[in-house]
PDB file of all heavy atoms in Angstrom:
ATOM      1  N   GLU A  43       3.504 -13.050  -2.414  1.00 94.00           N
ATOM      2  CA  GLU A  43       3.751 -11.880  -1.577  1.00 94.00           C
ATOM      3  C   GLU A  43       3.990 -10.634  -2.432  1.00 94.00           C
ATOM      4  O   GLU A  43       3.420  -9.571  -2.170  1.00 94.00           O
ATOM      5  CB  GLU A  43       4.936 -12.117  -0.640  1.00 94.00           C
ATOM      6  CG  GLU A  43       4.722 -13.191   0.396  1.00 94.00           C
ATOM      7  CD  GLU A  43       3.624 -12.881   1.404  1.00 94.00           C
ATOM      8  OE1 GLU A  43       3.267 -11.691   1.571  1.00 94.00           O
ATOM      9  OE2 GLU A  43       3.117 -13.825   2.022  1.00 94.00           O
ATOM     10  N   SER A  46       0.787  -9.430  -4.066  1.00 96.00           N
ATOM     11  CA  SER A  46      -0.106  -8.691  -3.170  1.00 96.00           C
ATOM     12  C   SER A  46       0.425  -7.281  -2.916  1.00 96.00           C
ATOM     13  O   SER A  46      -0.351  -6.327  -2.829  1.00 96.00           O
ATOM     14  CB  SER A  46      -0.319  -9.446  -1.856  1.00 96.00           C
ATOM     15  OG  SER A  46       0.835  -9.450  -1.058  1.00 96.00           O
ATOM     16  N   SER A  47       1.736  -7.132  -2.821  1.00 96.00           N
ATOM     17  CA  SER A  47       2.303  -5.798  -2.603  1.00 96.00           C
ATOM     18  C   SER A  47       2.157  -4.923  -3.845  1.00 96.00           C
ATOM     19  O   SER A  47       1.871  -3.723  -3.737  1.00 96.00           O
ATOM     20  CB  SER A  47       3.766  -5.884  -2.185  1.00 96.00           C
ATOM     21  OG  SER A  47       3.839  -6.351  -0.860  1.00 96.00           O
ATOM     22  N   THR A 132      -1.454   1.497   8.848  1.00 97.00           N
ATOM     23  CA  THR A 132      -1.230   0.601   9.990  1.00 97.00           C
ATOM     24  C   THR A 132      -1.271  -0.845   9.517  1.00 97.00           C
ATOM     25  O   THR A 132      -0.411  -1.664   9.880  1.00 97.00           O
ATOM     26  CB  THR A 132      -2.293   0.847  11.082  1.00 97.00           C
ATOM     27  OG1 THR A 132      -2.119   2.185  11.576  1.00 97.00           O
ATOM     28  CG2 THR A 132      -2.166  -0.141  12.224  1.00 97.00           C
ATOM     29  N   PHE A 133      -2.243  -1.152   8.670  1.00 97.00           N
ATOM     30  CA  PHE A 133      -2.331  -2.503   8.100  1.00 97.00           C
ATOM     31  C   PHE A 133      -1.108  -2.787   7.224  1.00 97.00           C
ATOM     32  O   PHE A 133      -0.494  -3.858   7.318  1.00 97.00           O
ATOM     33  CB  PHE A 133      -3.619  -2.675   7.277  1.00 97.00           C
ATOM     34  CG  PHE A 133      -3.642  -3.988   6.558  1.00 97.00           C
ATOM     35  CD1 PHE A 133      -4.074  -5.130   7.210  1.00 97.00           C
ATOM     36  CD2 PHE A 133      -3.176  -4.084   5.258  1.00 97.00           C
ATOM     37  CE1 PHE A 133      -4.042  -6.352   6.564  1.00 97.00           C
ATOM     38  CE2 PHE A 133      -3.150  -5.310   4.613  1.00 97.00           C
ATOM     39  CZ  PHE A 133      -3.587  -6.448   5.265  1.00 97.00           C
ATOM     40  N   VAL A 134      -0.751  -1.850   6.355  1.00 97.00           N
ATOM     41  CA  VAL A 134       0.332  -2.062   5.396  1.00 97.00           C
ATOM     42  C   VAL A 134       1.669  -2.259   6.109  1.00 97.00           C
ATOM     43  O   VAL A 134       2.478  -3.103   5.707  1.00 97.00           O
ATOM     44  CB  VAL A 134       0.395  -0.907   4.371  1.00 97.00           C
ATOM     45  CG1 VAL A 134       1.618  -1.027   3.483  1.00 97.00           C
ATOM     46  CG2 VAL A 134      -0.868  -0.880   3.531  1.00 97.00           C
ATOM     47  N   GLU A 135       1.898  -1.509   7.160  1.00 97.00           N
ATOM     48  CA  GLU A 135       3.147  -1.664   7.915  1.00 97.00           C
ATOM     49  C   GLU A 135       3.278  -3.088   8.444  1.00 97.00           C
ATOM     50  O   GLU A 135       4.328  -3.721   8.309  1.00 97.00           O
ATOM     51  CB  GLU A 135       3.193  -0.652   9.064  1.00 97.00           C
ATOM     52  CG  GLU A 135       4.492  -0.672   9.842  1.00 97.00           C
ATOM     53  CD  GLU A 135       4.512  -1.643  11.013  1.00 97.00           C
ATOM     54  OE1 GLU A 135       3.456  -1.878  11.612  1.00 97.00           O
ATOM     55  OE2 GLU A 135       5.598  -2.161  11.321  1.00 97.00           O
ATOM     56  N   ALA A 136       2.209  -3.609   9.014  1.00 97.00           N
ATOM     57  CA  ALA A 136       2.237  -4.989   9.530  1.00 97.00           C
ATOM     58  C   ALA A 136       2.388  -5.992   8.391  1.00 97.00           C
ATOM     59  O   ALA A 136       3.094  -7.007   8.529  1.00 97.00           O
ATOM     60  CB  ALA A 136       0.971  -5.268  10.336  1.00 97.00           C
ATOM     61  N   HIS A 137       1.745  -5.724   7.275  1.00 96.00           N
ATOM     62  CA  HIS A 137       1.837  -6.616   6.111  1.00 96.00           C
ATOM     63  C   HIS A 137       3.275  -6.669   5.588  1.00 96.00           C
ATOM     64  O   HIS A 137       3.809  -7.757   5.324  1.00 96.00           O
ATOM     65  CB  HIS A 137       0.876  -6.145   5.016  1.00 96.00           C
ATOM     66  CG  HIS A 137       0.970  -6.930   3.758  1.00 96.00           C
ATOM     67  ND1 HIS A 137       0.579  -8.248   3.664  1.00 96.00           N
ATOM     68  CD2 HIS A 137       1.414  -6.580   2.529  1.00 96.00           C
ATOM     69  CE1 HIS A 137       0.789  -8.678   2.439  1.00 96.00           C
ATOM     70  NE2 HIS A 137       1.290  -7.686   1.729  1.00 96.00           N
ATOM     71  N   TYR A 138       3.905  -5.503   5.454  1.00 97.00           N
ATOM     72  CA  TYR A 138       5.297  -5.493   4.999  1.00 97.00           C
ATOM     73  C   TYR A 138       6.210  -6.210   5.992  1.00 97.00           C
ATOM     74  O   TYR A 138       7.123  -6.929   5.595  1.00 97.00           O
ATOM     75  CB  TYR A 138       5.798  -4.069   4.762  1.00 97.00           C
ATOM     76  CG  TYR A 138       5.522  -3.559   3.371  1.00 97.00           C
ATOM     77  CD1 TYR A 138       4.961  -2.309   3.173  1.00 97.00           C
ATOM     78  CD2 TYR A 138       5.836  -4.313   2.240  1.00 97.00           C
ATOM     79  CE1 TYR A 138       4.708  -1.821   1.898  1.00 97.00           C
ATOM     80  CE2 TYR A 138       5.587  -3.844   0.970  1.00 97.00           C
ATOM     81  CZ  TYR A 138       5.024  -2.601   0.804  1.00 97.00           C
ATOM     82  OH  TYR A 138       4.786  -2.124  -0.457  1.00 97.00           O
ATOM     83  N   GLN A 139       5.973  -6.034   7.290  1.00 97.00           N
ATOM     84  CA  GLN A 139       6.807  -6.725   8.274  1.00 97.00           C
ATOM     85  C   GLN A 139       6.656  -8.232   8.132  1.00 97.00           C
ATOM     86  O   GLN A 139       7.638  -8.971   8.219  1.00 97.00           O
ATOM     87  CB  GLN A 139       6.471  -6.283   9.696  1.00 97.00           C
ATOM     88  CG  GLN A 139       7.401  -6.888  10.731  1.00 97.00           C
ATOM     89  CD  GLN A 139       8.860  -6.516  10.493  1.00 97.00           C
ATOM     90  OE1 GLN A 139       9.197  -5.339  10.456  1.00 97.00           O
ATOM     91  NE2 GLN A 139       9.736  -7.504  10.320  1.00 97.00           N
ATOM     92  N   SER A 140       5.452  -8.690   7.910  1.00 95.00           N
ATOM     93  CA  SER A 140       5.204 -10.119   7.692  1.00 95.00           C
ATOM     94  C   SER A 140       5.961 -10.608   6.451  1.00 95.00           C
ATOM     95  O   SER A 140       6.551 -11.692   6.464  1.00 95.00           O
ATOM     96  CB  SER A 140       3.700 -10.352   7.536  1.00 95.00           C
ATOM     97  OG  SER A 140       3.445 -11.658   7.131  1.00 95.00           O
ATOM     98  N   GLN A 141       5.954  -9.817   5.409  1.00 95.00           N
ATOM     99  CA  GLN A 141       6.680 -10.200   4.193  1.00 95.00           C
ATOM    100  C   GLN A 141       8.183 -10.229   4.440  1.00 95.00           C
ATOM    101  O   GLN A 141       8.877 -11.136   3.970  1.00 95.00           O
ATOM    102  CB  GLN A 141       6.354  -9.233   3.056  1.00 95.00           C
ATOM    103  CG  GLN A 141       4.958  -9.409   2.530  1.00 95.00           C
ATOM    104  CD  GLN A 141       4.687  -8.496   1.367  1.00 95.00           C
ATOM    105  OE1 GLN A 141       5.102  -7.337   1.361  1.00 95.00           O
ATOM    106  NE2 GLN A 141       4.001  -9.016   0.376  1.00 95.00           N
ATOM    107  N   ILE A 142       8.684  -9.255   5.151  1.00 96.00           N
ATOM    108  CA  ILE A 142      10.114  -9.230   5.477  1.00 96.00           C
ATOM    109  C   ILE A 142      10.486 -10.497   6.232  1.00 96.00           C
ATOM    110  O   ILE A 142      11.491 -11.156   5.910  1.00 96.00           O
ATOM    111  CB  ILE A 142      10.456  -7.957   6.288  1.00 96.00           C
ATOM    112  CG1 ILE A 142      10.343  -6.721   5.390  1.00 96.00           C
ATOM    113  CG2 ILE A 142      11.835  -8.061   6.936  1.00 96.00           C
ATOM    114  CD1 ILE A 142      10.291  -5.406   6.139  1.00 96.00           C
ATOM    115  N   VAL A 199      -5.560  -8.357   0.355  1.00 95.00           N
ATOM    116  CA  VAL A 199      -4.274  -9.056   0.323  1.00 95.00           C
ATOM    117  C   VAL A 199      -4.490 -10.546   0.051  1.00 95.00           C
ATOM    118  O   VAL A 199      -3.803 -11.147  -0.770  1.00 95.00           O
ATOM    119  CB  VAL A 199      -3.485  -8.831   1.625  1.00 95.00           C
ATOM    120  CG1 VAL A 199      -2.339  -9.843   1.761  1.00 95.00           C
ATOM    121  CG2 VAL A 199      -2.942  -7.416   1.671  1.00 95.00           C
ATOM    122  N   LYS A 203      -3.071 -12.278  -3.477  1.00 94.00           N
ATOM    123  CA  LYS A 203      -2.065 -13.341  -3.449  1.00 94.00           C
ATOM    124  C   LYS A 203      -2.438 -14.481  -4.387  1.00 94.00           C
ATOM    125  O   LYS A 203      -1.572 -15.111  -4.978  1.00 94.00           O
ATOM    126  CB  LYS A 203      -1.900 -13.897  -2.035  1.00 94.00           C
ATOM    127  CG  LYS A 203      -1.105 -12.998  -1.127  1.00 94.00           C
ATOM    128  CD  LYS A 203      -0.954 -13.644   0.246  1.00 94.00           C
ATOM    129  CE  LYS A 203      -0.129 -12.769   1.153  1.00 94.00           C
ATOM    130  NZ  LYS A 203       0.083 -13.395   2.467  1.00 94.00           N
TER     131      LYS A 203
END
Side-chain angles (χ1 to χ4, degrees):
E43 295 296 339
S46 70
S47 287
T132 296
F133 173 84
V134 173
E135 184 271 329
H137 176 68
Y138 272 132
Q139 185 59 58
S140 171
Q141 288 183 320
I142 290 165
V199 165
K203 284 182 179 183

